[in-house]
Amino acid sequence: MVRNIALLFVLFTCNLFAQVQKPETLKAMTFNVRMDTPKDGINQWSNRKEWVAEIVRFNDVDVVGMQEVTYGQLVDLQGLMPNYDYVGEGRESGNKGEFSPIFYVKERFKLLESGTFWLAENPAEKGMISWDSSLPRIATWARLEDKNTKRTFVFINTHFDHRGKLAREKSVEVIQAKLKNIVKGETVILTGDLNLPPTDTPYQKIVDLGFLDTREVATNRAELGYTFNSWDIEAKPTNRIDYIFSKGSDLAVWKYQELDIQRGARFASDHYPVMTEFRWVSKVDLVQKKKKR
């Protein structure tokens, strides 16, 4: 009897120790959900809104940057994802035009600050179109405190123009300038549909700013090799155009995945969502790294 009690105590202690030692993770996603239009037939929003919300909830995503979200879709997602709150503004100001919202688990994160700026010559001018951009383009950001770790990070989400080559390059410069005023030493996660492959200049400019493409540095990877399907079940793989980047030493990239969201002839979106799982780096490790420097 005593032996059994001792064994149970050892097992309980080991289990408790394992739980304490388990690293804190943070799951981030970028997801172009495709705007609401009846032109999409069987793939129009009314046939897939529950599916989109299910993808986020089922994968236990902590923070997701979405693109092409109209106000009606935003309302739908709020109802379908009650555990999440969001920040963002339409690209034509207020509730007008597509949003690039950031949804986050409201019980886990405390919103400290947030905002939206325009990818234009005057980032504060709402609805402004600059350079060769075909539409107003925006970036939405949030400073969040992780209640589990008491550490903060900046999450920024964007959608670059699909036609303007110069606009895409200038958009990186606008984001760079704005981050100088927003970031206060925290790690930054940058998500978005950039409408360009990794071989294009804007991608390299982002990397030159010190951002890591999480696909390239992930310890574990599950990928399709491309992120746009155009509603075509026989689509030929092209390139990645949806990305998750990170910059800073607080979050280590652990897993990267491009999710397959096809059911027969139907898709949840014309873009595949991309998900990265991070692990918070312990403060002890950070101190040791600084000492080595």
Side-chain angles (χ1 to χ4, degrees):
M1 180 68 177
V2 174
R3 184 180 178 183
N4 289 339
I5 293 174
L7 180 60
L8 286 172
F9 177 78
V10 170
L11 291 173
F12 173 78
T13 304
C14 290
N15 183 55
L16 182 62
F17 181 79
Q19 289 178 2
V20 171
Q21 295 298 310
K22 184 179 179 181
E24 289 283 355
T25 62
L26 188 155
K27 289 184 178 180
M29 176 181 280
T30 184
F31 195 176
N32 182 324
V33 301
R34 172 63 177 176
M35 64 179 181
D36 181 7
T37 170
K39 294 179 181 179
D40 288 336
I42 61 170
N43 288 313
Q44 63 185 280
W45 179 247
S46 60
N47 294 334
R48 56 190 178 85
K49 58 185 179 180
E50 289 88 358
W51 189 359
V52 167
E54 176 190 295
I55 289 167
V56 176
R57 295 195 315 265
F58 179 79
N59 287 287
D60 294 320
V61 177
D62 294 304
V63 193
V64 51
M66 293 184 177
Q67 301 87 33
E68 286 197 32
V69 182
T70 60
Y71 183 67
Q73 290 174 294
L74 194 69
V75 172
D76 288 339
L77 289 167
Q78 283 182 280
L80 293 165
M81 303 193 308
N83 294 334
Y84 293 79
D85 208 341
Y86 85 95
V87 295
E89 182 176 356
R91 66 188 182 193
E92 294 171 23
S93 85
N95 294 330
K96 298 178 181 178
E98 295 175 7
F99 290 65
S100 291
I102 298 169
F103 281 88
Y104 60 93
V105 177
K106 55 189 176 184
E107 287 188 5
R108 176 168 181 181
F109 300 102
K110 179 180 179 181
L111 178 65
L112 303 178
E113 288 182 276
S114 67
T116 295
F117 58 87
W118 273 254
L119 304 179
E121 291 166 296
N122 181 1
E125 185 175 333
K126 300 184 178 185
M128 186 178 192
I129 300 175
S130 294
W131 310 296
D132 55 353
S133 185
S134 61
L135 296 162
R137 295 293 181 175
I138 56 175
T140 293
W141 65 274
R143 174 174 286 104
L144 298 169
E145 179 185 291
D146 186 339
K147 296 177 184 178
N148 293 346
T149 63
K150 304 302 181 184
R151 293 155 86 175
T152 64
F153 64 100
V154 171
F155 195 103
I156 180 167
N157 177 51
T158 191
H159 188 184
F160 285 4
D161 198 69
H162 62 300
R163 292 181 180 171
K165 183 177 180 180
L166 178 60
R168 290 193 291 269
E169 291 187 27
K170 290 293 186 180
S171 292
V172 178
E173 295 176 13
V174 173
I175 289 173
Q176 178 187 10
K178 295 297 289 186
L179 286 179
K180 285 181 179 178
N181 297 323
I182 293 169
V183 179
K184 301 174 181 177
E186 310 98 331
T187 288
V188 182
I189 298 174
L190 168 62
T191 61
D193 170 5
L194 303 189
N195 274 311
L196 55 87
T199 52
D200 274 19
T201 300
Y203 173 95
Q204 189 56 54
K205 283 189 172 184
I206 292 172
V207 173
D208 289 344
L209 293 176
F211 280 95
L212 299 175
D213 181 344
T214 59
R215 185 259 179 198
E216 299 300 326
V217 297
T219 304
N220 299 283
R221 217 160 63 192
E223 55 190 328
L224 303 169
Y226 63 110
T227 61
F228 181 65
N229 58 59
S230 191
W231 305 125
D232 185 357
I233 60 173
E234 296 181 349
K236 294 180 180 179
T238 52
N239 282 301
R240 290 185 299 142
I241 60 173
D242 302 88
Y243 301 89
I244 300 177
F245 297 93
S246 67
K247 181 180 181 181
S249 56
D250 284 332
L251 288 166
V253 180
W254 178 239
K255 294 179 180 179
Y256 171 91
Q257 184 177 7
E258 294 156 6
L259 282 73
D260 192 349
I261 51 168
Q262 180 182 342
R263 295 174 181 172
R266 294 180 57 217
F267 293 84
S269 175
D270 61 347
H271 286 248
Y272 296 108
V274 175
M275 186 168 67
T276 296
E277 182 176 323
F278 297 90
R279 288 183 174 180
W280 282 107
V281 178
S282 73
K283 291 184 179 180
V284 173
D285 290 339
L286 287 175
V287 170
Q288 289 177 343
K289 285 181 180 179
K290 288 180 181 179
K291 286 181 178 179
K292 288 180 180 178
R293 290 174 185 171

